[in-house]
Structures are given as structure tokens and as C-alpha cells.
Amino acid sequence: MAISSSKKPVMTLYSASLCPYAQRVRIVLEEKAMEHQVIEVNLKSKPEDLAELNPYNQVPTLVDRELVLYESNIINEYLDERFPHPPLMPVDPVSRAKARLLMLRVDRDWFRPLFDQEALSDRARQKLRDELTAISVIFGGQRFLLGEEFSLVDCALAPMLWRLPSLGIELPDSARPLQGYMERVFSRESFQRSLTPAERSLRI
Ligand SMILES: N[C@@H](CCC(=O)N[C@@H](CS)C(=O)NCC(=O)O)C(=O)O
């Protein structure tokens, strides 16, 4: 629930219109229906205060009163703990630890190779396509990545899945259960509201 700058929201998110990491946070803010202000950052000409807030000078950066946070998954865990409804993490420690490992793997195996380098090689594209096809079977038996409940792990992965066509990755027919999962996630109100016009245009 982003609001105009005339009111004074408690939370401010520094975001960029095509940043998949920032979209992760935008999804969680919408899941929690949190009032917040979005500062749209031009990554080629960043505002000076961003470097003061975040030593890596990156988006997403969240400011909640005195607290400044960066790193999308860290921000999202904070939001989930601070605003417990709806819960986006399992309750028992073993499942929570497994969820964190999955978020780490999504980051290291998929987001970094895809989004932290200039060009994507055909080999990397094929590798991702094969890996996504392999995990597709999971969704034959469950609605979301951790089971029946939507979680932070889904929020961590969804921005990449949304970008597949723009990355030149087409899923094979054998990945149909994954397509069904994507439709479930993309049709959520929180996901739709998280999309910037630039992100929306990636799938038109
Ligand atoms: N690991 C970070 C990655 C954030 C990131 O790479 N953000 C990019 C935009 S998508 C950025 O701010 N790039 C500008 C820069 O690094 O100078 C996270 O999960 O939040």
C-alpha cells in the first residue's frame, strides 16, 4: 500500500523500477498491507542520502524510523517479524532454517548469475531452464515452495520467474506444474500491486 508523499508514512523504501531484489520487498510490503513510501532511485544517478544509509549504495534499502536495513532477504525477515500477519515464515526452527537455506540458494544459484552481470550466456540460459524444469515436479504436489502456504521463499523467487521471458528463457511443456505455480503467485494481489509499470511491461 504505497501512499503519496503528502502523508507521512513510517516506512520508506528506496527502490528501483526494474530491480528484482527491490520487488521482493515490495511484494512483502503489499502482503502485509503496510503503509509505506517508495523513493524511486535512478541507478545511474543515485540520491546522495542512499550512500549514507547503505554502505553498498544499493536498493532495496528500507528506513523504518531509526532503523536502516538493506539486503532484500534481511529486510523481508524483519518485516515478517515486525508485522506478523499474515505470517510468511514457518514457525518451527527446523523449517525456518530450511527456508533460509532455500532463500540463500535462490540468491546464489539464480539471482546473482542472472542479475549481477551484464550479459547472460546461452549456456547459463540453458542451465537455468533445465534447473527450473527439474524443480517443476515439486508443484505437482504442493501449491507453493514450502508447501501449502505462501512464504518469503516465494517472494524471493517470484521476481526472477516474472522476468523469464525478458531473459529469453522459455519453459518446456514438461514444466507445466511450474507454470501453474507461477500463475498462482502472479495472480496474488500483493504480487500485482508490487509491479512497477516498467516491470509490468516485461510481460506485455
Ligand atoms: N544482495 C542485494 C542485491 C541488491 C542489488 O544488487 N541492487 C542493485 C539494483 S537491482 C543495485 O542497487 N545496484 C546499484 C549498484 O550496485 O551500484 C539484495 O538482495 O538486496
Side-chain angles (χ1 to χ4, degrees):
M1 191 189 293
I3 66 166
S4 71
S5 51
S6 57
K7 292 189 196 166
K8 191 127 180 63
V10 179
M11 270 191 288
T12 300
L13 177 69
Y14 288 75
S15 176
S17 60
L18 279 169
C19 175
Y21 300 97
Q23 193 190 1
R24 288 174 169 174
V25 178
R26 284 186 255 121
I27 298 169
V28 172
L29 285 166
E30 294 297 343
E31 279 287 324
K32 305 281 180 182
M34 279 313 305
E35 267 194 13
H36 62 281
Q37 181 186 23
V38 174
I39 295 185
E40 178 63 32
V41 171
N42 175 352
L43 293 174
K44 296 204 172 88
S45 162
K46 296 180 217 163
E48 275 171 24
D49 61 341
L50 187 60
E52 288 159 22
L53 294 167
N54 176 343
Y56 304 106
N57 200 8
Q58 287 187 325
V59 296
T61 294
L62 183 86
V63 182
D64 184 15
R65 296 196 177 89
E66 304 306 310
L67 178 70
V68 180
L69 289 176
Y70 35 88
E71 280 298 316
S72 51
N73 289 333
I74 291 178
I75 297 173
N76 281 352
E77 280 214 48
Y78 166 75
L79 290 172
D80 192 48
E81 286 175 5
R82 169 130 199 244
F83 308 103
H85 298 288
L88 295 174
M89 280 288 271
V91 284
D92 70 287
V94 171
S95 305
R96 288 171 78 86
K98 285 184 179 168
R100 290 191 184 105
L101 269 185
L102 274 178
M103 287 190 273
L104 180 86
R105 296 224 41 201
V106 166
D107 238 40
R108 286 172 78 142
D109 297 354
W110 289 338
F111 269 60
R112 287 195 210 167
L114 283 180
F115 302 121
D116 296 4
Q117 62 190 28
E118 294 282 299
L120 189 60
S121 68
D122 283 347
R123 194 151 163 260
R125 221 175 255 122
Q126 183 61 42
K127 184 168 173 282
L128 178 63
R129 187 175 183 267
D130 292 348
E131 287 169 352
L132 289 173
T133 306
I135 66 154
S136 182
V137 288
I138 298 174
F139 302 107
Q142 60 191 53
R143 283 174 58 75
F144 297 108
L145 270 165
L146 294 187
E148 292 311 298
E149 303 301 329
F150 183 77
S151 75
L152 289 189
V153 188
D154 301 295
C155 299
L157 179 63
M160 183 196 92
L161 297 176
W162 180 258
R163 285 159 175 76
L164 290 180
S166 62
L167 294 165
I169 295 165
E170 203 177 315
L171 293 171
D173 283 352
S174 54
R176 197 156 291 156
L178 176 65
Q179 304 269 18
Y181 163 72
M182 286 159 60
E183 279 161 27
R184 279 193 289 286
V185 173
F186 297 163
S187 62
R188 286 180 86 80
E189 199 183 333
S190 62
F191 184 89
Q192 285 297 319
R193 291 174 66 101
S194 78
L195 289 168
T196 63
E199 283 168 338
R200 204 171 283 283
S201 70
L202 294 177
R203 269 184 180 256
I204 287 171

mmCIF file of all heavy atoms in Angstrom, residues 16 18-22 24-25 41 43 46 50 56-61 70-75 107 111-112 115-116, ligand 1:
data_model
loop_
_atom_site.group_PDB
_atom_site.id
_atom_site.type_symbol
_atom_site.label_atom_id
_atom_site.label_comp_id
_atom_site.label_asym_id
_atom_site.label_seq_id
_atom_site.Cartn_x
_atom_site.Cartn_y
_atom_site.Cartn_z
ATOM 1 N N ALA A 16 14.067 0.533 -7.100
ATOM 2 C CA ALA A 16 14.288 0.911 -8.495
ATOM 3 C C ALA A 16 13.286 0.127 -9.324
ATOM 4 O O ALA A 16 12.963 -1.023 -8.998
ATOM 5 C CB ALA A 16 15.717 0.612 -8.938
ATOM 6 N N LEU A 18 13.072 -1.540 -11.984
ATOM 7 C CA LEU A 18 13.291 -2.861 -12.583
ATOM 8 C C LEU A 18 14.148 -3.763 -11.700
ATOM 9 O O LEU A 18 14.633 -4.787 -12.160
ATOM 10 C CB LEU A 18 13.944 -2.700 -13.959
ATOM 11 C CG LEU A 18 12.978 -2.359 -15.104
ATOM 12 C CD1 LEU A 18 13.744 -1.957 -16.360
ATOM 13 C CD2 LEU A 18 12.050 -3.524 -15.413
ATOM 14 N N CYS A 19 14.331 -3.382 -10.453
ATOM 15 C CA CYS A 19 15.218 -4.164 -9.580
ATOM 16 C C CYS A 19 14.474 -5.371 -8.993
ATOM 17 O O CYS A 19 13.514 -5.215 -8.234
ATOM 18 C CB CYS A 19 15.755 -3.285 -8.450
ATOM 19 S SG CYS A 19 16.735 -4.238 -7.276
ATOM 20 N N PRO A 20 14.911 -6.597 -9.342
ATOM 21 C CA PRO A 20 14.211 -7.777 -8.833
ATOM 22 C C PRO A 20 14.349 -7.937 -7.317
ATOM 23 O O PRO A 20 13.475 -8.505 -6.664
ATOM 24 C CB PRO A 20 14.890 -8.935 -9.568
ATOM 25 C CG PRO A 20 16.233 -8.417 -9.970
ATOM 26 C CD PRO A 20 16.082 -6.950 -10.179
ATOM 27 N N TYR A 21 15.454 -7.426 -6.761
ATOM 28 C CA TYR A 21 15.642 -7.512 -5.307
ATOM 29 C C TYR A 21 14.658 -6.574 -4.598
ATOM 30 O O TYR A 21 14.074 -6.923 -3.577
ATOM 31 C CB TYR A 21 17.083 -7.140 -4.937
ATOM 32 C CG TYR A 21 18.132 -8.026 -5.566
ATOM 33 C CD1 TYR A 21 18.786 -7.654 -6.737
ATOM 34 C CD2 TYR A 21 18.468 -9.241 -4.994
ATOM 35 C CE1 TYR A 21 19.756 -8.462 -7.319
ATOM 36 C CE2 TYR A 21 19.448 -10.061 -5.565
ATOM 37 C CZ TYR A 21 20.089 -9.656 -6.728
ATOM 38 O OH TYR A 21 21.048 -10.470 -7.297
ATOM 39 N N ALA A 22 14.484 -5.400 -5.170
ATOM 40 C CA ALA A 22 13.533 -4.455 -4.579
ATOM 41 C C ALA A 22 12.106 -4.980 -4.714
ATOM 42 O O ALA A 22 11.276 -4.789 -3.819
ATOM 43 C CB ALA A 22 13.665 -3.084 -5.247
ATOM 44 N N ARG A 24 11.160 -7.989 -4.446
ATOM 45 C CA ARG A 24 10.924 -8.924 -3.333
ATOM 46 C C ARG A 24 10.329 -8.189 -2.136
ATOM 47 O O ARG A 24 9.402 -8.663 -1.489
ATOM 48 C CB ARG A 24 12.258 -9.521 -2.873
ATOM 49 C CG ARG A 24 12.877 -10.521 -3.802
ATOM 50 C CD ARG A 24 14.240 -10.893 -3.267
ATOM 51 N NE ARG A 24 14.801 -12.041 -3.954
ATOM 52 C CZ ARG A 24 16.029 -12.493 -3.757
ATOM 53 N NH1 ARG A 24 16.834 -11.871 -2.906
ATOM 54 N NH2 ARG A 24 16.465 -13.550 -4.392
ATOM 55 N N VAL A 25 10.902 -7.037 -1.833
ATOM 56 C CA VAL A 25 10.449 -6.274 -0.662
ATOM 57 C C VAL A 25 9.083 -5.643 -0.935
ATOM 58 O O VAL A 25 8.214 -5.624 -0.060
ATOM 59 C CB VAL A 25 11.489 -5.192 -0.284
ATOM 60 C CG1 VAL A 25 11.005 -4.372 0.906
ATOM 61 C CG2 VAL A 25 12.839 -5.842 0.021
ATOM 62 N N VAL A 41 14.615 5.192 -7.220
ATOM 63 C CA VAL A 41 16.019 5.560 -7.410
ATOM 64 C C VAL A 41 16.420 5.310 -8.869
ATOM 65 O O VAL A 41 16.159 4.243 -9.421
ATOM 66 C CB VAL A 41 16.921 4.720 -6.465
ATOM 67 C CG1 VAL A 41 18.398 4.907 -6.797
ATOM 68 C CG2 VAL A 41 16.646 5.087 -5.013
ATOM 69 N N LEU A 43 19.266 4.333 -10.905
ATOM 70 C CA LEU A 43 20.527 3.659 -10.542
ATOM 71 C C LEU A 43 21.751 4.307 -11.199
ATOM 72 O O LEU A 43 22.873 4.098 -10.760
ATOM 73 C CB LEU A 43 20.457 2.176 -10.900
ATOM 74 C CG LEU A 43 19.438 1.366 -10.077
ATOM 75 C CD1 LEU A 43 19.331 -0.058 -10.595
ATOM 76 C CD2 LEU A 43 19.794 1.365 -8.594
ATOM 77 N N LYS A 46 22.260 8.077 -8.408
ATOM 78 C CA LYS A 46 21.609 7.755 -7.134
ATOM 79 C C LYS A 46 21.562 8.977 -6.217
ATOM 80 O O LYS A 46 22.484 9.809 -6.251
ATOM 81 C CB LYS A 46 22.376 6.630 -6.442
ATOM 82 C CG LYS A 46 22.341 5.337 -7.227
ATOM 83 C CD LYS A 46 23.106 4.267 -6.484
ATOM 84 C CE LYS A 46 23.856 3.378 -7.411
ATOM 85 N NZ LYS A 46 24.872 2.594 -6.811
ATOM 86 N N LEU A 50 21.417 7.893 -0.178
ATOM 87 C CA LEU A 50 21.447 6.421 -0.223
ATOM 88 C C LEU A 50 22.811 5.891 0.241
ATOM 89 O O LEU A 50 22.882 4.934 1.017
ATOM 90 C CB LEU A 50 21.117 5.925 -1.638
ATOM 91 C CG LEU A 50 20.949 4.413 -1.782
ATOM 92 C CD1 LEU A 50 19.812 3.884 -0.905
ATOM 93 C CD2 LEU A 50 20.686 4.019 -3.242
ATOM 94 N N TYR A 56 26.670 -0.142 0.786
ATOM 95 C CA TYR A 56 26.793 -0.708 -0.554
ATOM 96 C C TYR A 56 26.104 0.175 -1.599
ATOM 97 O O TYR A 56 26.157 -0.130 -2.791
ATOM 98 C CB TYR A 56 26.230 -2.138 -0.586
ATOM 99 C CG TYR A 56 26.917 -3.006 0.440
ATOM 100 C CD1 TYR A 56 26.272 -3.385 1.615
ATOM 101 C CD2 TYR A 56 28.245 -3.395 0.256
ATOM 102 C CE1 TYR A 56 26.923 -4.147 2.570
ATOM 103 C CE2 TYR A 56 28.894 -4.160 1.216
ATOM 104 C CZ TYR A 56 28.230 -4.526 2.372
ATOM 105 O OH TYR A 56 28.879 -5.279 3.324
ATOM 106 N N ASN A 57 25.416 1.229 -1.117
ATOM 107 C CA ASN A 57 24.781 2.199 -2.019
ATOM 108 C C ASN A 57 23.834 1.511 -3.009
ATOM 109 O O ASN A 57 23.869 1.779 -4.204
ATOM 110 C CB ASN A 57 25.879 2.978 -2.752
ATOM 111 C CG ASN A 57 25.364 4.297 -3.321
ATOM 112 O OD1 ASN A 57 24.229 4.690 -3.047
ATOM 113 N ND2 ASN A 57 26.187 4.968 -4.098
ATOM 114 N N GLN A 58 23.022 0.594 -2.467
ATOM 115 C CA GLN A 58 22.152 -0.194 -3.334
ATOM 116 C C GLN A 58 20.694 -0.090 -2.911
ATOM 117 O O GLN A 58 20.385 0.257 -1.770
ATOM 118 C CB GLN A 58 22.552 -1.675 -3.256
ATOM 119 C CG GLN A 58 23.854 -2.007 -3.981
ATOM 120 C CD GLN A 58 24.112 -3.491 -4.022
ATOM 121 O OE1 GLN A 58 23.780 -4.216 -3.083
ATOM 122 N NE2 GLN A 58 24.708 -3.964 -5.092
ATOM 123 N N VAL A 59 19.830 -0.456 -3.830
ATOM 124 C CA VAL A 59 18.439 -0.712 -3.492
ATOM 125 C C VAL A 59 18.253 -2.227 -3.500
ATOM 126 O O VAL A 59 18.992 -2.909 -4.209
ATOM 127 C CB VAL A 59 17.476 -0.045 -4.514
ATOM 128 C CG1 VAL A 59 17.604 1.445 -4.463
ATOM 129 C CG2 VAL A 59 17.686 -0.562 -5.924
ATOM 130 N N PRO A 60 17.323 -2.754 -2.701
ATOM 131 C CA PRO A 60 16.435 -2.052 -1.798
ATOM 132 C C PRO A 60 17.140 -1.633 -0.511
ATOM 133 O O PRO A 60 18.001 -2.357 -0.007
ATOM 134 C CB PRO A 60 15.347 -3.095 -1.500
ATOM 135 C CG PRO A 60 16.058 -4.411 -1.593
ATOM 136 C CD PRO A 60 17.075 -4.222 -2.698
ATOM 137 N N THR A 61 16.708 -0.466 -0.007
ATOM 138 C CA THR A 61 17.106 -0.027 1.328
ATOM 139 C C THR A 61 15.821 0.429 2.022
ATOM 140 O O THR A 61 15.032 1.167 1.419
ATOM 141 C CB THR A 61 18.122 1.134 1.243
ATOM 142 O OG1 THR A 61 19.329 0.638 0.645
ATOM 143 C CG2 THR A 61 18.453 1.697 2.619
ATOM 144 N N TYR A 70 19.284 -3.077 4.699
ATOM 145 C CA TYR A 70 19.496 -3.387 3.282
ATOM 146 C C TYR A 70 19.636 -4.895 3.171
ATOM 147 O O TYR A 70 19.651 -5.590 4.182
ATOM 148 C CB TYR A 70 20.723 -2.659 2.712
ATOM 149 C CG TYR A 70 21.867 -2.489 3.671
ATOM 150 C CD1 TYR A 70 22.832 -3.476 3.801
ATOM 151 C CD2 TYR A 70 21.959 -1.357 4.469
ATOM 152 C CE1 TYR A 70 23.883 -3.325 4.691
ATOM 153 C CE2 TYR A 70 23.001 -1.198 5.367
ATOM 154 C CZ TYR A 70 23.958 -2.184 5.475
ATOM 155 O OH TYR A 70 24.976 -2.039 6.367
ATOM 156 N N GLU A 71 19.749 -5.393 1.952
ATOM 157 C CA GLU A 71 19.713 -6.825 1.610
ATOM 158 C C GLU A 71 18.246 -7.294 1.683
ATOM 159 O O GLU A 71 17.662 -7.396 2.762
ATOM 160 C CB GLU A 71 20.574 -7.690 2.534
ATOM 161 C CG GLU A 71 22.037 -7.676 2.195
ATOM 162 C CD GLU A 71 22.351 -8.233 0.795
ATOM 163 O OE1 GLU A 71 21.785 -9.268 0.434
ATOM 164 O OE2 GLU A 71 23.137 -7.606 0.080
ATOM 165 N N SER A 72 17.723 -7.609 0.492
ATOM 166 C CA SER A 72 16.292 -7.911 0.387
ATOM 167 C C SER A 72 15.800 -8.979 1.370
ATOM 168 O O SER A 72 14.760 -8.793 2.015
ATOM 169 C CB SER A 72 15.969 -8.336 -1.049
ATOM 170 O OG SER A 72 16.854 -9.348 -1.486
ATOM 171 N N ASN A 73 16.528 -10.084 1.507
ATOM 172 C CA ASN A 73 16.026 -11.145 2.379
ATOM 173 C C ASN A 73 16.069 -10.742 3.854
ATOM 174 O O ASN A 73 15.214 -11.155 4.647
ATOM 175 C CB ASN A 73 16.809 -12.443 2.159
ATOM 176 C CG ASN A 73 16.484 -13.069 0.803
ATOM 177 O OD1 ASN A 73 15.400 -12.881 0.265
ATOM 178 N ND2 ASN A 73 17.432 -13.804 0.249
ATOM 179 N N ILE A 74 17.034 -9.919 4.212
ATOM 180 C CA ILE A 74 17.109 -9.434 5.604
ATOM 181 C C ILE A 74 15.957 -8.463 5.875
ATOM 182 O O ILE A 74 15.282 -8.537 6.910
ATOM 183 C CB ILE A 74 18.483 -8.782 5.870
ATOM 184 C CG1 ILE A 74 19.564 -9.867 5.868
ATOM 185 C CG2 ILE A 74 18.480 -7.993 7.191
ATOM 186 C CD1 ILE A 74 20.979 -9.373 6.062
ATOM 187 N N ILE A 75 15.696 -7.589 4.918
ATOM 188 C CA ILE A 75 14.563 -6.659 5.066
ATOM 189 C C ILE A 75 13.271 -7.465 5.217
ATOM 190 O O ILE A 75 12.443 -7.194 6.091
ATOM 191 C CB ILE A 75 14.459 -5.718 3.839
ATOM 192 C CG1 ILE A 75 15.701 -4.831 3.710
ATOM 193 C CG2 ILE A 75 13.197 -4.861 3.935
ATOM 194 C CD1 ILE A 75 15.746 -3.992 2.428
ATOM 195 N N ASP A 107 19.306 -17.055 -4.205
ATOM 196 C CA ASP A 107 20.195 -15.914 -4.420
ATOM 197 C C ASP A 107 21.481 -16.305 -5.132
ATOM 198 O O ASP A 107 21.848 -15.729 -6.154
ATOM 199 C CB ASP A 107 20.564 -15.349 -3.050
ATOM 200 C CG ASP A 107 20.181 -13.909 -2.947
ATOM 201 O OD1 ASP A 107 19.096 -13.560 -3.443
ATOM 202 O OD2 ASP A 107 20.969 -13.142 -2.379
ATOM 203 N N PHE A 111 19.809 -15.698 -8.720
ATOM 204 C CA PHE A 111 19.779 -14.237 -8.848
ATOM 205 C C PHE A 111 21.152 -13.662 -9.206
ATOM 206 O O PHE A 111 21.258 -12.836 -10.098
ATOM 207 C CB PHE A 111 19.257 -13.585 -7.553
ATOM 208 C CG PHE A 111 17.761 -13.387 -7.573
ATOM 209 C CD1 PHE A 111 16.909 -14.470 -7.713
ATOM 210 C CD2 PHE A 111 17.201 -12.128 -7.452
ATOM 211 C CE1 PHE A 111 15.532 -14.303 -7.732
ATOM 212 C CE2 PHE A 111 15.821 -11.947 -7.480
ATOM 213 C CZ PHE A 111 14.989 -13.033 -7.608
ATOM 214 N N ARG A 112 22.185 -14.091 -8.508
ATOM 215 C CA ARG A 112 23.500 -13.489 -8.784
ATOM 216 C C ARG A 112 23.962 -13.738 -10.220
ATOM 217 O O ARG A 112 24.362 -12.799 -10.905
ATOM 218 C CB ARG A 112 24.533 -13.978 -7.774
ATOM 219 C CG ARG A 112 24.293 -13.327 -6.417
ATOM 220 C CD ARG A 112 25.496 -13.519 -5.533
ATOM 221 N NE ARG A 112 25.079 -13.575 -4.149
ATOM 222 C CZ ARG A 112 25.865 -13.973 -3.161
ATOM 223 N NH1 ARG A 112 27.099 -14.385 -3.404
ATOM 224 N NH2 ARG A 112 25.419 -13.988 -1.930
ATOM 225 N N PHE A 115 21.370 -11.566 -12.497
ATOM 226 C CA PHE A 115 21.151 -10.129 -12.367
ATOM 227 C C PHE A 115 22.392 -9.338 -11.985
ATOM 228 O O PHE A 115 22.370 -8.116 -12.024
ATOM 229 C CB PHE A 115 20.029 -9.850 -11.355
ATOM 230 C CG PHE A 115 18.727 -10.505 -11.729
ATOM 231 C CD1 PHE A 115 18.119 -11.416 -10.873
ATOM 232 C CD2 PHE A 115 18.124 -10.226 -12.942
ATOM 233 C CE1 PHE A 115 16.924 -12.036 -11.227
ATOM 234 C CE2 PHE A 115 16.929 -10.834 -13.304
ATOM 235 C CZ PHE A 115 16.331 -11.745 -12.440
ATOM 236 N N ASP A 116 23.463 -10.017 -11.569
ATOM 237 C CA ASP A 116 24.643 -9.262 -11.144
ATOM 238 C C ASP A 116 25.723 -9.240 -12.215
ATOM 239 O O ASP A 116 26.867 -8.945 -11.941
ATOM 240 C CB ASP A 116 25.214 -9.833 -9.827
ATOM 241 C CG ASP A 116 24.219 -9.686 -8.680
ATOM 242 O OD1 ASP A 116 23.092 -9.227 -8.940
ATOM 243 O OD2 ASP A 116 24.561 -10.023 -7.545
HETATM 244 N N1 LIG B 1 22.035 -8.635 -2.472
HETATM 245 C C1 LIG B 1 21.307 -7.401 -2.643
HETATM 246 C C2 LIG B 1 21.400 -7.004 -4.109
HETATM 247 C C3 LIG B 1 20.848 -5.610 -4.376
HETATM 248 C C4 LIG B 1 21.242 -5.118 -5.770
HETATM 249 O O1 LIG B 1 22.062 -5.736 -6.463
HETATM 250 N N2 LIG B 1 20.641 -3.984 -6.177
HETATM 251 C C5 LIG B 1 21.015 -3.360 -7.426
HETATM 252 C C6 LIG B 1 19.802 -2.999 -8.270
HETATM 253 S S1 LIG B 1 18.874 -4.418 -8.794
HETATM 254 C C7 LIG B 1 21.691 -2.041 -7.154
HETATM 255 O O2 LIG B 1 21.321 -1.312 -6.258
HETATM 256 N N3 LIG B 1 22.686 -1.733 -7.977
HETATM 257 C C8 LIG B 1 23.393 -0.497 -7.909
HETATM 258 C C9 LIG B 1 24.823 -0.663 -7.515
HETATM 259 O O3 LIG B 1 25.213 -1.764 -7.093
HETATM 260 O O4 LIG B 1 25.558 0.303 -7.612
HETATM 261 C C10 LIG B 1 19.878 -7.596 -2.146
HETATM 262 O O5 LIG B 1 19.435 -8.747 -2.036
HETATM 263 O O6 LIG B 1 19.209 -6.602 -1.799
#
